[in-house]
Amino acid sequence: MHEGAIAESIVDILRDVKKDNDLEKITYVKLRVGIFSGVMVDALMFALNALKNEEEFIVDTKFEVEEVDVKARCVLCDKVYMFDKTTEVCFLCPQCNMPLEIESGKEMEIAVVEGE
């Protein structure tokens, strides 16, 4: 379980954003987490909520997570496939049986930060 370490890294980044933008507190954070990232969203939110109580500048921050589906493109026929569950992801094109290249769904990023 590495979500605790990820949550600590997010808080470190938010601390830098606060400092760099001369903010008193962070009010809203939107995270984008790919379903193929290996991050357990519930565990990440649990860790972030635990850390909120230790850091005054994020104690009232609203954290929101957007889960990103896997988008894959065939390297030969260029057809695009979307998968919303990891159990559905396939690595070969159903049409031409060539490998699929994953374009999204593995990311873990801070998409939006708002503060005052």
Side-chain angles (χ1 to χ4, degrees):
M1 182 161 151
H2 59 286
E3 283 76 7
I6 294 170
E8 288 177 359
S9 295
I10 289 169
V11 172
D12 288 342
I13 292 168
L14 295 176
R15 189 177 294 110
D16 290 343
V17 169
K18 173 189 165 287
K19 181 181 174 188
D20 293 346
N21 293 284
D22 200 25
L23 299 171
E24 288 187 27
K25 60 185 179 180
I26 303 294
T27 57
Y28 173 77
V29 176
K30 181 176 184 178
L31 305 170
R32 296 184 77 236
V33 179
I35 64 168
F36 222 46
S37 66
V39 175
M40 296 176 59
V41 172
D42 291 344
L44 177 62
M45 292 305 292
F46 179 82
L48 284 170
N49 285 323
L51 290 172
K52 279 174 60 171
N53 296 325
E54 298 176 8
E55 302 284 347
E56 190 172 320
F57 78 99
I58 58 170
V59 72
D60 295 322
T61 303
K62 178 182 179 189
F63 286 95
E64 185 175 288
V65 174
E66 174 188 353
E67 292 189 84
V68 180
D69 294 341
V70 171
K71 178 180 175 183
R73 182 180 304 275
C74 177
V75 297
L76 181 64
C77 71
D78 210 34
K79 186 162 173 67
V80 174
Y81 298 93
M82 298 295 294
F83 306 96
D84 62 357
K85 295 179 182 151
T86 55
T87 55
E88 295 176 348
V89 177
C90 63
F91 296 98
L92 296 176
C93 178
Q95 268 192 323
C96 65
N97 212 28
M98 290 300 290
L100 295 177
E101 183 173 282
I102 295 178
E103 295 186 341
S104 67
K106 296 194 287 186
E107 60 272 70
M108 164 64 227
E109 62 186 10
I110 299 172
V112 176
V113 176
E114 295 176 358
E116 53 187 38

